Amino acid sequence: MPAALRVAIGKTEIVKSFESGDRGVVRLRHAEFHASVERWFSEAKTEAGVSGDLLFEAAVRSLRSRGLPNSDNPDAWTVDDRDTAVDIVLTDAGIGSLDELEEALETTSSEERAKLRQVSTEVAIVQGTLGRPRPKLSYCLRLLLEDKSRGRDVNRGDWLRYKRERNRIVAELVKMIGDKEATAVTRTDARSYLTKLEGEYAPGSVRKQVAFVKALLEWSFTEFQLTARNPFEKMTVVVPEDDSELGVSFEYSEVGTLLAKVGTINDELQEIIRLLACTGARLGEICGLELQEIDTEKSTISLRFNSIGRLKNKKSIRIVPVVDQQSMQALRERGHRIASCKPAEAVRGLSRGSCGHERSRTHRHISIHLDGARAHHHR
């Protein structure tokens, strides 16, 4: 049992018999048991607040809000100030003495023990026996994510994706240079990391990852009041001569040929390809259009977040003119056909995934081959 979880779970070891001599059966039962233990550990960490660094930060904020001694300006507090503060912390928690707190930590349930651990941490900070953890990369990331999560619905998909991607970025950096303190990351580390990214990701993705690491270090310097130069400052992402941010693109004549031939096979797909070509919108944006987002009088479509599809980010919210009259007419006719449906009914009959599959299949059928071409390249 991990040492940090022993108090929370109340065990020091786990013993399990798989009750079989068959290796195949044991292998399957072990896999199931291992997965259940991992879930158990994860839940215990969440419920008990085992993450010591975040527990420390929560304790500091609590002390600071009550004007009690904390990690800020430790020399400004006298011994009497600290003794008085300990009494206040214990009284606020409904505990009579330090001995009572210690006894409660040993006997209470996991949920109550998590609260008592914060009280214990507050007491240690007040007494001056516990200092703030060092600003290592993984620790700084956790604090940054916690800071950004305030006021957000942390169960929303967009936040979970944001958090997962940032954890991945920093995990790759830590795997390469180690979990260094923010001020210990060097220019050489930054260049090595950039070189690695350039060998694995597209230039646009590399820029985003480097920009986040740079922002993380800047935030860490401010949060911990550190004086250091950001090693990721003015890092340039190299774009290979045979590469471009647009990738493969369709020529005007190829789009015309494609539309002419697709119309004999799939009218639905022809309309979508025509919209992609004349609006510059993304495939997911076109497939996620709602009736109320089409203005037939002004010949425009409004691209925004809705219940059907999602945009890439907030900057993708926009109103786009439909300059092709055939596309606009097709939208009008489709709107009339499904006008009796709910306003949130999708204008397109194909989903983003099925549309992408149909497009690829149709390209092959009519012998239009572009190396690496995707629906996105109609933009």
Side-chain angles (χ1 to χ4, degrees):
M1 179 70 65
L5 293 177
R6 289 175 184 174
V7 175
I9 295 179
K11 294 178 179 289
T12 58
E13 62 180 354
I14 300 176
V15 179
K16 174 69 176 178
S17 171
F18 297 112
E19 301 177 351
S20 176
D22 188 308
R23 286 190 174 185
V25 172
V26 171
R27 191 178 294 111
L28 288 174
R29 291 179 181 177
H30 175 268
E32 293 175 358
F33 178 69
H34 179 73
S36 67
V37 169
E38 287 298 316
R39 287 194 299 270
W40 189 17
F41 285 179
S42 177
E43 291 170 1
K45 289 178 182 178
T46 301
E47 293 174 3
V50 166
S51 181
D53 47 15
L54 296 185
L55 185 65
F56 179 90
E57 295 299 326
V60 168
R61 286 197 299 273
S62 175
L63 294 171
R64 191 180 292 145
S65 67
R66 289 179 285 175
L68 298 177
N70 53 72
S71 57
D72 301 335
N73 300 320
D75 296 334
W77 306 96
T78 66
V79 174
D80 290 338
D81 291 335
R82 294 183 181 280
D83 290 341
T84 302
V86 169
D87 293 337
I88 293 174
V89 169
L90 294 175
T91 301
D92 289 347
I95 300 173
S97 65
L98 292 175
D99 290 338
E100 185 178 334
L101 172 61
E102 185 176 348
E103 182 180 350
L105 281 168
E106 296 176 355
T107 59
T108 55
S109 62
S110 296
E111 184 176 350
E112 288 298 320
R113 193 179 298 119
K115 299 176 182 178
L116 293 176
R117 287 186 68 232
Q118 177 161 333
V119 175
S120 177
T121 303
E122 290 177 6
V123 169
I125 294 172
V126 167
Q127 291 176 330
T129 59
L130 181 62
R132 192 175 195 182
R134 302 300 299 170
K136 293 187 176 182
L137 291 171
S138 57
Y139 174 46
C140 292
L141 174 65
R142 287 195 291 273
L143 293 186
L144 176 61
L145 292 176
E146 184 190 28
D147 191 46
K148 284 184 172 292
S149 68
R150 291 175 189 165
R152 292 175 178 266
D153 181 357
V154 295
N155 294 315
R156 280 178 59 94
D158 56 351
W159 168 253
L160 294 176
R161 284 189 294 273
Y162 176 88
K163 182 179 179 181
R164 182 170 59 248
E165 178 64 9
R166 271 59 193 175
N167 279 320
R168 181 194 65 77
I169 291 172
V170 175
E172 285 192 7
L173 177 61
V174 169
K175 183 179 180 181
M176 183 175 179
I177 68 172
D179 196 8
K180 293 185 175 182
E181 293 185 16
T183 54
V185 180
T186 65
R187 186 71 169 180
T188 302
D189 292 333
R191 288 192 180 280
S192 299
Y193 179 62
L194 176 61
T195 301
K196 178 179 181 296
L197 292 181
E198 288 176 334
E200 299 178 5
Y201 299 94
S205 180
V206 174
R207 289 194 186 98
K208 290 179 182 178
Q209 295 184 65
V210 169
F212 175 72
V213 175
K214 177 184 174 183
L216 172 63
L217 292 176
E218 287 291 345
W219 183 89
S220 303
F221 296 158
T222 302
E223 177 70 14
F224 287 86
Q225 300 179 348
L226 303 173
T227 302
R229 185 170 182 176
N230 197 322
F232 283 86
E233 191 73 40
K234 297 182 179 180
M235 295 291 286
T236 302
V237 177
V238 177
V239 180
E241 293 182 2
D242 59 346
D243 190 16
S244 71
E245 287 299 283
L246 294 177
V248 180
S249 61
F250 286 91
E251 298 291 340
Y252 184 80
S253 59
E254 290 174 325
V255 175
T257 301
L258 181 61
L259 289 172
K261 292 190 176 182
V262 167
T264 64
I265 302 172
N266 189 324
D267 291 339
E268 175 86 8
L269 189 58
Q270 184 191 47
E271 293 175 15
I272 291 177
I273 291 176
R274 189 179 291 277
L275 275 172
L276 288 171
C278 77
T279 62
R282 296 178 176 86
L283 181 60
E285 294 169 343
I286 294 299
C287 292
L289 277 175
E290 294 179 349
L291 287 175
Q292 60 192 7
E293 295 170 346
I294 300 173
D295 190 330
T296 56
E297 294 183 4
K298 296 181 179 179
S299 294
T300 62
I301 56 175
S302 299
L303 301 178
R304 58 190 181 186
F305 293 97
N306 58 39
S307 59
I308 300 172
R310 68 180 184 86
L311 305 185
K312 183 176 181 181
N313 50 49
K314 291 183 180 180
K315 292 183 180 180
S316 298
I317 299 174
R318 62 197 187 279
I319 296 177
V320 181
V322 182
V323 296
D324 181 72
Q325 292 305 312
Q326 282 185 261
S327 294
M328 200 64 236
Q329 183 59 31
L331 286 174
R332 288 193 186 96
E333 293 176 358
R334 183 172 292 277
H336 290 319
R337 289 200 298 270
I338 60 176
S340 59
C341 298
K342 297 179 181 180
E345 181 74 18
V347 176
R348 307 256 56 90
L350 293 174
S351 68
R352 182 188 185 283
S354 61
C355 179
H357 173 73
E358 283 293 317
R359 179 202 58 76
S360 299
R361 187 178 64 82
T362 305
H363 278 193
R364 291 193 298 271
H365 182 78
I366 62 180
S367 300
I368 290 183
H369 300 286
L370 290 173
D371 293 336
R374 296 179 285 109
H376 192 73
H377 298 131
H378 286 286
R379 287 165 59 87

